[in-house]
Each structure stands twice: as structure tokens, then as C-alpha cells.
Amino acid sequence: MPSSHRSSRLRRRATRACATACSPSFAAGRYDWLFVTSAASIEQLAAFLTPRGLTLPATTQVAAVGQATARAVADLGADVAFVPVGQSSARAMIAQWSAGRAAASTGRCLVVRSDLAAAVISDELELQGYTVDVCIGYRTVGVDLPDAVARDLADGRIDVVLLTSLSVGRELRRQVPQLAASVLVASIGPGTTRDAERLGFTVGHTAHTQSVDALLAELDSRPRSPEVTP
């Protein structure tokens, strides 16, 4: 975006939960499959493993919800065995992963997610007879915007706001009940766009590739409105 344009990303603060309760069993290789639905989940696993000189067990296969999460797994030095095709969502992930698999021939599964994420994957695994443990990898805590930023969003002095998750959308709605009509709401992907629209936002841009870098690049390539000098 040009330097005279202002954008705001409402951030989340991830705090470690009781979180690593499952990590000792995980580090010991007691799980056949690890399901991760965000890069933040991987960051929390890394925070447990790396200081102890541990890595993701070679015997544990990793299923990632999308390419951004898969990249986080790769950054930790592990291979990703499964990424859903098409939509990056928990429902698409478990539907595609379970096709052609059976609980009887699959070992224990571990699902690492945030406290706000729906239990879609673990519930479906249990319904299909898989042995599954759930680890709350992090808790999402809203970070209040500075008053000046909240006013600028309401008054239209900020051009773009980025929504990277449902929880960010909820916080934005709580802190700025009414955005100025001129503010472009940009979403990281179709799932976040659907969630944002349910919250009452009008989303003007949805990233074609679900990553923050891709979203910023796409916004930067959009035609720019001519600036008006007072």
C-alpha cells in the first residue's frame, strides 16, 4: 500500500495453556497422527520441543489444515503427510483425511487447537471410532486497540483492516462497533470471510492464497484510488 495509506491489523496474543499437557506423550512418539489447524499450534509445540532439544517424532504423521500451517510444520523441520485439497477448513480436512481410512488400522491421534476453535476434528474422529486426545495449545486473548486507532477506524482515517481469523473479527466488532464505510475489510481466506459476514462486516477483498504475506501482496497490487490533496 502507498505510504500515505494506513492499515490496521487487530492482533491476537497467544498465551500458553495447560497446553503442553499432551506434549511429553507426543514427544515420546505415542501418536500416529498429529492434526494442526493453525501455525500458532505449531509455534506452541515448538516452544515445548525446541528448548529440550526435541523434534517432531518421525513416527508421527502430520495433517495440516492448509498451506500456511504446512509451512510452519516444515519450518520446524518435519514433513507434512496430509493437506486438504481446496478449502482450508477443519471440516474439509477431516472429511478428506478420513476417506479411505479406518479406525481399526490407525493408532492414537492428537489434535492441537486453540481454546476458541470448534472441536470439529476431534468430534468427527471420535464418532468414527478413532482414539483421540485433544490438547489446547494456546488461549487467544484480545489486545485492545489504542483509542486513536479505534477512532481512526470509525472515522475512516485508516484505509484497510486485515481479518486473519474469526477471533480477530470478533475483537474488531467488539472494539469498533461501526467501521467507516470507506474502510476496506480484507480477509485471509474464504472461511474467515464467511465468519466476518456473519458478524456483519462487508468484506471487500478475500485472499486467493491463505497467508498474511499473500494477502498483503494482493492488496498492494490492487488499483489505487487517486489521492486528493486538500
Side-chain angles (χ1 to χ4, degrees):
M1 307 293 290
S3 59
S4 60
H5 284 203
R6 298 179 59 198
S7 64
S8 174
R9 185 189 308 169
L10 190 66
R11 295 179 295 174
R12 298 176 303 162
R13 182 173 62 225
T15 61
R16 301 260 297 277
C18 57
T20 45
C22 292
S23 294
S25 294
F26 173 71
R30 295 173 188 166
Y31 294 99
D32 280 11
W33 278 92
L34 166 67
F35 293 84
V36 285
T37 58
S38 70
S41 297
I42 292 297
E43 290 169 5
Q44 293 304 308
L45 280 175
F48 173 82
L49 296 171
T50 303
R52 295 165 175 79
L54 301 173
T55 59
L56 294 178
T59 55
T60 301
Q61 298 186 81
V62 181
V65 74
Q67 293 301 328
T69 305
R71 284 192 293 272
V73 175
D75 289 344
L76 195 55
D79 294 327
V80 177
F82 178 84
V83 180
V85 176
Q87 184 182 16
S88 297
S89 71
R91 293 191 186 283
M93 181 184 190
I94 194 59
Q96 293 180 32
W97 180 88
S98 60
R101 289 188 172 89
S105 56
T106 303
R108 183 178 293 270
C109 301
L110 174 64
V111 180
V112 181
R113 61 175 178 82
S114 81
D115 61 322
L116 298 181
V120 172
I121 294 172
S122 54
D123 283 355
E124 186 60 31
L125 287 170
E126 289 181 346
L127 282 172
Q128 295 186 29
Y130 291 90
T131 302
V132 57
D133 292 328
V134 176
C135 182
I136 302 302
Y138 62 97
R139 301 191 187 282
T140 301
V141 180
V143 178
D144 286 342
L145 291 168
D147 290 342
V149 174
R151 287 195 300 270
D152 286 351
L153 283 165
D155 296 341
R157 287 187 292 272
I158 287 177
D159 299 295
V160 182
V161 63
L162 310 184
L163 299 185
T164 56
S165 69
L166 171 59
S167 58
V168 171
R170 285 172 174 160
E171 278 297 305
L172 180 60
R173 177 56 76 205
R174 178 181 71 82
Q175 296 185 38
V176 188
Q178 186 62 53
L179 292 174
S182 61
V183 176
L184 172 68
V185 178
S187 158
I188 198 169
T192 301
T193 293
R194 285 192 296 273
D195 291 335
E197 289 172 343
R198 292 188 189 104
L199 290 170
F201 292 107
T202 299
V203 178
H205 182 86
T206 301
H208 299 99
T209 301
Q210 291 184 232
S211 76
V212 172
D213 288 344
L215 175 57
L216 292 173
E218 290 173 21
L219 289 172
D220 200 40
S221 67
R222 285 170 59 95
R224 299 182 175 112
S225 300
E227 297 182 23
V228 177
T229 303

